[in-house]
Amino acid sequence: MSDILNFNNTETAFATKSNMELKKAKFLFGMLEYGQLTKLAKPMLNFAFQARLPIKGILKKTIFSQFCGGESLQECKTQIDQLYQNGEVMSILDYSVEGAENDKNFDATLDTLLKICKFSEFQKQIPFLVFKPTGLGRLEIFRKVSENVPMNLSESEEWARIKKRFEAICRAVAETDNLKIMVDAEESWSHNAVDGLTEDMMLKYNKERTVVFATVQLYLSKKYDYLKHLKDFGEKSGIRVGVKLVRGAYMEKERDRALARGYDSPVCPDKSTTDKNFDNGVDFVLENLDVLDLFLGTHNEISCRELVKKLYNQGISVTDSRVWFGQLFGMSDNISFNMAKAGYNVVKYVPFGPIKDVMPYLIRRAEENSSVGSQSSREMELLKKELQRRKEMAKLR
C-alpha cells in the first residue's frame, strides 16, 4: 500500500505538464509566498478593472490558467479530458462567480448550473456538480432564516425564490443516472437555513442513491455533533446521506464576527484541535458507511494517507463508490494523480467563469496559499524536484 501511494512521486504528479507549465507554476507559487504582495493584489486588480486597463490577457495566462479551467464550459473541456485521459483524475465543474446580490444574477447562476448538469450528464469524468448557496440567494436572507429573524413580505418572497432555485438544480441532478451534487460551504451564520434546505433535498432525492452531499466544516467545534445528526437523520428517514468533510475557509471572518458581536467564537481554538475534530469526523463517517457517503476535501497529505490506511485496515476497496477524495485544480497534483494511479476515486474542483467575475475566488486562493502553513512551499518543493528530475533525464538521453 505505502509503496504505491507515494506523494513525492513528481513524475506521476506532473505527467500532464510541460516544462514551460512547470516553470510558470513555480513562478506563481513563488510569488504567492510573499504575503504582502497578495494583500496588494485585490485593490490593484479592482483599480485595473475599473480603469479598464488591458490586464485580462496577462491574468488569463498566469493565475487564471493555474487555478481555473477556463471562462466557459467548452474551454474547460480540454482540461477535464486531459485530467482524465492522462491520469484518470475526474472533475467537478465549479462555477466560481461570486458576489451576486440580485435576482437577475441568481437566476443566471441557476441557468449556468443547469447547463453544467446537461454538459456533465453523459461524461464519466464528471461525477459531481457543486454550488454555493449564496450563488442562488443573498447571505443576509440565509442569516435571517437561520437566526429566526422576522422577515417582511419582500424578504419572505425572496426566500421562496431561493428555495425554488435550490430545488431546481438538485432535481435536475437527481434526474440523471449517476450525477451527484454538493452544497458548498458558507459562513456559520447561514448554516441552519442551508442545512435545512440540504436535508429537504436529501429526503426527496437520496432514496435510491446518494445524490445530495452536505459540506461539514470541521474547524467549527460543534460540527462533529452535526455529523451524528446526519447519521441519525439518514437512518430514521431511510435514505443515504452524502457528507463532504473539510477543515474550513472562513476562520478569520468567523472570529472577527464573534468578537464584534460578543459571542463565543465557533472556531476550534487552534490547528491541533481542528485536526483532531477532522480526524474524528473521518472516523465517524467510516464507521457509518452503511448510511453515509464520504467525500474528503483536503490538500493535507497526512489526512489522505491516514484515510487510505483506515480503508486498507477495514478491508474497504480503493474503488468503493462511497469514498471520494478531492483537491482544487492547480494544487496538490502530487496527491490527486498518485491517488488516482493507485485506483482511488479522485476529483479536481475545476473553477470556471469570466475572468473579471472569478477574481474574488482567485484572490481568496492566493490569500490561502500565502498564509502561514500554506501549500506554496510544498508546491515549490515538488515543482523544483520535477524540473531537476527532467533535467537529469535529459542528460542521460
Side-chain angles (χ1 to χ4, degrees):
M1 177 186 63
S2 58
D3 292 338
I4 297 172
L5 196 59
N6 176 11
F7 291 149
N8 292 310
N9 184 337
T10 58
E11 183 177 4
T12 296
F14 300 119
T16 65
K17 302 292 184 184
S18 67
N19 284 351
M20 185 65 72
E21 287 173 320
L22 292 180
K23 288 174 182 176
K24 183 183 76 174
K26 181 169 164 280
F27 171 77
L28 283 170
F29 281 111
M31 296 292 283
L32 291 175
E33 288 190 309
Y34 294 96
Q36 291 302 316
L37 188 65
T38 304
K39 289 177 182 177
L40 288 171
K42 189 172 185 178
M44 288 171 62
L45 288 170
N46 286 338
F47 171 78
F49 279 119
Q50 287 171 5
R52 299 189 177 182
L53 298 179
I55 62 167
K56 181 178 174 181
I58 296 170
L59 290 172
K60 189 161 188 175
K61 290 178 181 177
T62 54
I63 190 169
F64 185 86
S65 63
Q66 179 67 30
F67 296 115
C68 295
E71 291 194 79
S72 66
L73 284 172
Q74 288 307 316
E75 281 188 19
C76 289
K77 176 72 171 152
T78 301
Q79 302 286 0
I80 290 165
D81 289 346
Q82 187 181 61
L83 286 169
Y84 190 73
Q85 290 165 8
N86 296 322
E88 293 195 11
V89 173
M90 291 173 272
S91 297
I92 305 173
L93 283 164
D94 183 5
Y95 185 56
S96 295
V97 173
E98 300 181 0
E101 281 293 321
N102 59 63
D103 278 345
K104 181 180 177 182
N105 288 333
F106 296 139
D107 287 338
T109 297
L110 173 61
D111 185 56
T112 300
L113 290 170
L114 293 171
K115 286 176 182 173
I116 295 171
C117 184
K118 284 187 178 179
F119 177 84
S120 306
E121 183 173 0
F122 300 109
Q123 301 194 60
K124 63 182 178 180
Q125 65 267 45
I126 311 177
F128 286 90
L129 269 68
V130 64
F131 73 96
K132 284 181 76 67
T134 50
L136 301 181
R138 291 193 297 136
L139 178 61
E140 178 64 5
I141 299 298
F142 283 104
R143 180 193 71 81
K144 286 191 171 185
V145 173
S146 294
E147 297 177 354
N148 292 313
V149 175
M151 294 191 291
N152 60 36
L153 178 60
S154 175
E155 290 171 330
S156 296
E157 290 173 344
E158 194 174 342
W159 176 238
R161 291 193 293 273
I162 291 171
K163 290 195 288 186
K164 282 185 70 174
R165 295 185 194 106
F166 217 96
E167 175 146 21
I169 185 57
C170 290
R171 181 173 62 246
V173 170
E175 288 173 352
T176 69
D177 287 337
N178 39 43
L179 273 180
K180 298 173 275 289
I181 188 161
M182 283 189 280
V183 182
D184 215 343
E186 296 282 5
E187 293 86 344
S188 65
W189 52 93
S190 71
H191 283 188
N192 286 343
V194 171
D195 293 344
L197 281 180
T198 304
E199 289 173 27
D200 287 346
M201 296 302 100
M202 289 179 177
L203 278 175
K204 284 191 174 186
Y205 302 120
N206 284 20
K207 293 174 183 175
E208 303 297 325
R209 62 185 182 90
T210 318
V211 174
V212 180
F213 280 64
T215 297
V216 181
Q217 298 164 289
L218 288 160
Y219 76 143
L220 299 171
S221 57
K222 294 182 180 179
K223 280 299 175 178
Y224 181 80
D225 291 335
Y226 184 60
L227 281 176
K228 294 179 180 177
H229 162 79
L230 285 175
K231 178 247 186 183
D232 292 341
F233 166 70
E235 283 182 336
K236 291 173 184 175
S237 305
I239 60 170
R240 292 203 60 80
V241 173
V243 290
K244 181 178 80 166
L245 300 186
V246 298
R247 280 174 170 81
Y250 300 103
M251 189 175 296
E252 290 183 12
K253 188 186 289 188
E254 293 280 358
R255 285 178 174 154
D256 289 346
R257 186 177 189 268
L259 185 63
R261 301 199 175 202
Y263 61 85
D264 291 339
S265 171
V267 178
C268 291
D270 51 43
K271 187 178 185 302
S272 63
T273 309
T274 299
D275 288 342
K276 186 176 180 181
N277 207 36
F278 187 82
D279 293 343
N280 289 341
V282 173
D283 289 344
F284 182 81
V285 177
L286 276 186
E287 290 164 7
N288 294 283
L289 283 180
D290 55 328
V291 182
L292 306 173
D293 279 26
L294 171 61
F295 186 102
L296 193 79
T298 185
H299 295 161
N300 188 301
E301 294 175 20
I302 296 172
S303 293
C304 292
R305 195 178 297 280
E306 284 302 307
L307 177 52
V308 164
K309 287 180 183 175
K310 289 166 185 173
L311 294 173
Y312 179 80
N313 290 336
Q314 294 180 31
I316 299 171
S317 168
V318 299
T319 59
D320 194 305
S321 62
R322 299 170 298 177
V323 181
W324 294 80
F325 296 80
Q327 291 81 44
L328 294 168
F329 183 78
M331 294 170 62
S332 298
D333 286 345
N334 65 311
I335 296 177
S336 305
F337 283 93
N338 282 300
M339 291 204 74
K341 185 177 181 180
Y344 296 91
N345 300 313
V346 181
V347 294
K348 283 284 199 186
Y349 266 69
V350 181
F352 78 99
I355 290 178
K356 183 179 179 181
D357 296 333
V358 173
M359 285 317 299
Y361 167 85
L362 287 172
I363 289 168
R364 198 167 71 249
R365 287 282 83 82
E367 288 171 344
E368 288 171 10
N369 272 281
S370 63
S371 64
V372 176
S374 73
Q375 281 293 116
S376 293
S377 57
R378 176 62 168 154
E379 299 285 355
M380 287 284 286
E381 173 194 344
L382 293 163
L383 289 161
K384 287 176 182 176
K385 181 181 177 183
E386 176 58 12
L387 285 166
Q388 182 62 32
R389 187 195 69 81
R390 291 184 185 187
K391 188 176 179 180
E392 292 171 0
M393 289 298 295
K395 288 179 183 177
L396 297 174
R397 292 193 188 111

